[in-house]
């Protein structure tokens, strides 16, 4: 069970005396925090709740509320937000004496108080505070989900929202969302408002979800490969007007061509799609998305290895020339696109 499904089971009545929410996946962390506060019915105007941003509040003030008995009900909820002292972040808001007092509280918490600690970042397992919390608290961590976990969760979620995807469309949604939890959640909301009947096609994904810079660079690459130079120039002009820098455009474009080259090279050795995923993952030191390989194989099918090598070299040389300041970067980038288009033709 993933973290958000665990949080969905929480309410104010079954809240643990000590609860910790942490995580390095900032998008997911924000969603989990919002969901947690909603599940416990947090209301800043309700006197049975106390909220302290530890980046702005003295520990002494928060400690008084933490250790005092509730006045308006049998129990109260105290929230310590941004307590970065328990993360690997180097920031610290509590001094040594305050840390000792907080440790003493964790060893013997007030029975009528429910303490929630929210920290964006990775818990520092070497700290005594963290060891105490992992021993006694209910800990929720916003970790990067595995692809299968992400897919399963959002398939269920989309079904609950009344959405039905045609074959391949759901995978396109995940790719368009960069397999990011927060982006996928946002894009499902876009689709729900865009298609009232809930039937989602590949065309809906393309039309309803805003294009990312990666999408625009992919379009640019396709313009160049198909010899549509006017389309490429117009798109580049739009990207420049949006404030995108040529160095950044080259970096993304280079990444696409390198992926084409890698999968094409492995495929030419008789490797299967699954073997390519495994070998690239080992080479890059991270899990490569199978759908990224699938689409790279499709898009590089008509491209030769010599052409891809020349395209990569052209982009690397252009990047170097721009950084050397030899000529105007707009001119150098435009020339690079023309060279690639010429090689392709």
């Amino acid at each position: 069970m993933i973290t958000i499904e665990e949080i969905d089971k929480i309410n104010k009545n079954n809240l643990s005396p000590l609860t910790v929410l942490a995580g390095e996946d900032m998008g997911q962390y924000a969603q989990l925090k919002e969901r947690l506060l909603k599940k416990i019915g947090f209301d800043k105007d309700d006197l049975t709740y106390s909220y302290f941003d530890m980046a702005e509040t003295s520990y002494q003030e928060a400690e008084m509320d933490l250790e005092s008995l509730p006045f308006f009900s049998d129990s109260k909820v105290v929230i310590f937000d941004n307590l970065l002292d328990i993360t690997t972040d180097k920031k610290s808001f509590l001094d040594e004496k305050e840390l000792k007092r907080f440790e003493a509280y964790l060893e013997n918490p007030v029975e009528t108080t429910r303490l929630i600690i929210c920290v964006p970042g990775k818990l520092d397992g070497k700290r005594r505070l963290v060891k105490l919390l992992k021993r006694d608290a209910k800990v929720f961590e916003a970790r990067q989900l595995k692809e299968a976990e992400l897919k399963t969760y959002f398939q269920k979620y989309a079904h609950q929202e009344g959405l039905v995807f045609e074959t391949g469309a759901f995978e396109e949604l995940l790719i368009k969302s960069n397999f990011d939890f927060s982006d996928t959640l946002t894009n499902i909301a876009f689709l729900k408002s865009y298609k009232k009947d809930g039937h989602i096609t590949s065309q809906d994904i393309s039309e309803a979800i805003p294009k990312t810079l990666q999408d625009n660079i992919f379009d640019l690459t396709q313009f160049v490969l198909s010899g549509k130079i006017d389309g490429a120039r117009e798109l580049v002009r739009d990207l420049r007007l949006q404030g995108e820098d040529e160095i950044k455009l080259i970096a993304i474009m280079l990444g696409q061509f390198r992926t084409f080259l890698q999968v094409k090279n492995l495929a030419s050795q008789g490797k299967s799609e699954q073997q390519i995923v495994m070998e690239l993952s080992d080479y890059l030191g991270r899990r490569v998305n199978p759908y990224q390989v699938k689409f790279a194989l499709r898009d590089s099918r008509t491209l030769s290895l010599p052409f891809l090598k020349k395209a990569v070299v052209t982009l690397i040389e252009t990047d170097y020339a721009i950084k050397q300041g030899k000529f105007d970067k707009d001119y150098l980038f435009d020339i690079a696109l023309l060279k690639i288009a010429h090689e392709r033709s």
Side-chain angles (χ1 to χ4, degrees):
M1 183 181 296
I2 65 174
T3 305
I4 197 166
E5 291 174 323
E6 292 183 73
I7 283 180
D8 280 341
K9 295 183 178 181
I10 288 180
N11 57 57
K12 189 176 181 180
N13 295 325
N14 66 13
L15 196 59
S16 298
L18 299 172
T19 301
V20 178
L21 173 61
E24 294 179 278
D25 185 337
M26 291 299 103
Q28 188 182 170
Y29 170 80
Q31 294 293 335
L32 292 173
K33 181 179 174 184
E34 181 181 340
R35 185 73 64 95
L36 175 60
L37 296 181
K38 184 177 181 181
K39 294 298 292 185
I40 65 169
F42 173 68
D43 181 352
K44 61 182 178 62
D45 296 322
D46 187 334
L47 296 178
T48 61
Y49 297 91
S50 297
Y51 172 89
F52 299 96
D53 184 338
M54 302 308 291
E56 301 175 353
T57 306
S58 70
Y59 178 71
Q60 184 176 1
E61 180 183 346
E63 183 182 38
M64 289 177 60
D65 198 287
L66 183 64
E67 296 184 347
S68 64
L69 297 175
F71 289 105
F72 303 100
S73 65
D74 295 333
S75 64
K76 65 178 179 179
V77 177
V78 177
I79 301 167
F80 281 9
D81 200 1
N82 294 317
L83 185 65
L84 300 181
D85 302 70
I86 63 173
T87 70
T88 54
D89 193 306
K90 299 302 181 184
K91 291 183 180 179
S92 181
F93 301 120
L94 278 62
D95 62 30
E96 287 301 318
K97 290 183 179 179
E98 291 170 339
L99 286 172
K100 290 292 184 183
R101 296 207 305 271
F102 189 43
E103 284 179 12
Y105 176 85
L106 295 180
E107 292 277 17
N108 187 29
V110 177
E111 291 185 7
T112 53
T113 297
R114 299 291 178 263
L115 173 62
I116 298 176
I117 302 172
C118 297
V119 285
K122 183 179 180 180
L123 292 174
D124 186 350
K126 296 179 181 179
R127 299 187 69 96
R128 175 171 163 76
L129 273 174
V130 175
K131 291 176 181 178
L132 288 173
L133 289 168
K134 286 192 172 183
R135 185 191 71 185
D136 300 331
K138 180 65 176 176
V139 179
F140 300 100
E141 293 191 75
R143 59 177 177 81
Q144 190 74 39
L145 296 181
K146 295 177 181 177
E147 183 184 316
E149 292 174 325
L150 185 78
K151 186 174 182 179
T152 299
Y153 174 76
F154 279 111
Q155 281 177 329
K156 292 179 183 176
Y157 180 77
H159 179 71
Q160 292 170 356
E161 294 295 302
L163 300 181
V164 178
F165 291 80
E166 71 170 17
T167 303
F170 185 75
E171 284 71 24
E172 289 183 35
L173 166 66
L174 294 179
I175 292 169
K176 191 90 169 180
S177 306
N178 295 315
F179 287 81
D180 178 83
F181 188 94
S182 184
D183 288 348
T184 305
L185 197 63
T186 299
N187 288 336
I188 285 178
F190 279 142
L191 292 171
K192 185 178 178 181
S193 61
Y194 180 76
K195 282 299 282 291
K196 300 300 182 184
D197 64 2
H199 182 75
I200 307 300
T201 66
S202 295
Q203 184 176 349
D204 296 327
I205 302 292
S206 177
E207 293 177 352
I209 299 177
K211 281 194 172 185
T212 64
L213 180 57
Q214 289 275 2
D215 294 329
N216 282 317
I217 298 299
F218 178 79
D219 290 344
L220 175 61
T221 301
Q222 295 307 307
F223 279 139
V224 172
L225 294 177
S226 60
K228 298 177 180 177
I229 299 303
D230 288 342
R233 283 174 173 160
E234 185 175 344
L235 181 52
V236 169
R237 180 181 61 82
D238 290 343
L239 291 173
R240 284 168 177 158
L241 289 173
Q242 293 169 25
E244 301 296 351
D245 183 76
E246 279 74 10
I247 295 292
K248 189 176 181 181
L249 301 183
I250 288 174
I252 297 174
M253 205 169 180
L254 186 57
Q256 290 182 349
F257 274 107
R258 276 180 172 152
T259 300
F260 289 163
L261 182 58
Q262 288 164 339
V263 299
K264 186 80 173 180
N265 187 40
L266 291 170
S268 70
Q269 298 172 25
K271 306 287 186 182
S272 68
E273 193 172 305
Q274 186 176 5
Q275 288 174 319
I276 293 174
V277 171
M278 293 176 62
E279 291 204 19
L280 280 181
S281 297
D282 288 340
Y283 173 70
L284 297 172
R286 61 176 174 81
R287 171 67 174 168
V288 172
N289 192 291
Y291 289 104
Q292 181 184 10
V293 170
K294 185 184 189 73
F295 286 104
L297 283 169
R298 181 197 67 186
D299 296 329
S300 64
R301 190 172 293 119
T302 61
L303 306 176
S304 69
L305 284 172
F307 164 74
L308 289 170
K309 291 176 182 178
K310 287 181 180 178
V312 168
V313 169
T314 296
L315 290 169
I316 291 173
E317 290 176 344
T318 303
D319 179 72
Y320 179 76
I322 290 176
K323 289 175 179 176
Q324 290 293 305
K326 293 181 178 180
F327 295 99
D328 181 78
K329 59 184 179 180
D330 293 4
Y331 168 76
L332 288 170
F333 185 59
D334 290 344
I335 291 297
L337 297 183
L338 288 172
K339 282 182 180 179
I340 295 171
H342 176 72
E343 290 290 343
R344 174 61 177 150
S345 62

